[in-house]
């Protein structure tokens, strides 16, 4: 379904018919050793978050092409344009997933600026 409205990279809905659905927990900007990547650097953290999502999707044989829903959690909504720019490096802008953005007071670790969870579906 084409995106409603004029916001690039945004869909009001995504429909899943049959297939397998995978729910990905919120991913944060940590590396394989659990160390925070890019303290104080929103764009670096956002890229690490989406890379972690990519790795999690790969574990179940999926890619960002299978993502039907993203939920974005930011500690500062002023960073949303940067987050969208990074997200757009990973998703198909012609058929973007449904998404929500939420400003939060804080995340699991105080130095984290962004967290993203996803739902993926595939036949």
């Amino acid at each position: 379904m084409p995106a409603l409205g004029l916001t690039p990279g945004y869909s009001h809905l995504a429909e899943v018919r049959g297939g397998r659905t995978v729910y990905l927990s919120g991913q944060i900007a940590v590396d394989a050793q659990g160390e925070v990547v890019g303290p104080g650097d929103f764009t670096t953290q956002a890229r690490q978050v989406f890379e972690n999502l990519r790795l999690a999707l790969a574990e179940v044989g999926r890619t960002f092409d299978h993502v039907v829903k993203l939920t974005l959690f930011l500690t500062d909504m002023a960073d949303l344009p940067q987050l969208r720019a990074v997200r757009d490096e990973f998703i198909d802008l012609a058929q973007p997933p449904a998404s929500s953005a939420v400003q939060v007071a804080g995340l699991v670790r105080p130095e984290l600026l962004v967290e993203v969870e996803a739902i993926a579906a595939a036949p």
Side-chain angles (χ1 to χ4, degrees):
M1 170 173 206
L4 302 174
L6 301 175
T7 306
Y10 177 79
S11 288
H12 286 274
L13 63 88
E15 181 178 9
V16 177
R17 295 182 183 187
R20 179 174 165 214
T21 304
V22 179
Y23 296 85
L24 287 79
S25 294
Q27 298 297 303
I28 55 176
V30 295
D31 61 18
Q33 292 73 42
E35 298 297 321
V36 173
V37 173
D41 183 336
F42 186 87
T43 299
T44 297
Q45 285 197 16
R47 278 204 180 90
Q48 183 67 46
V49 165
F50 275 89
E51 178 61 17
N52 290 348
L53 285 167
R54 187 193 65 74
L55 292 170
L57 287 162
E59 285 182 27
V60 292
R62 301 293 179 258
T63 68
F64 275 97
D65 290 340
H66 299 108
V67 173
V68 296
K69 175 75 164 83
L70 290 171
T71 305
L72 318 169
F73 302 95
L74 304 93
T75 58
D76 186 345
M77 202 55 82
D79 293 322
L80 186 58
Q82 291 171 264
L83 183 55
R84 286 179 176 155
V86 171
R87 176 208 59 195
D88 292 353
E89 297 171 15
F90 290 84
I91 67 166
D92 178 1
L93 289 176
Q95 293 186 318
S99 63
S100 299
V102 181
Q103 183 170 339
V104 295
L107 296 166
V108 68
R109 293 170 65 170
E111 63 270 37
L112 294 172
L113 305 172
V114 60
E115 180 173 335
V116 179
E117 64 183 27
I119 301 172

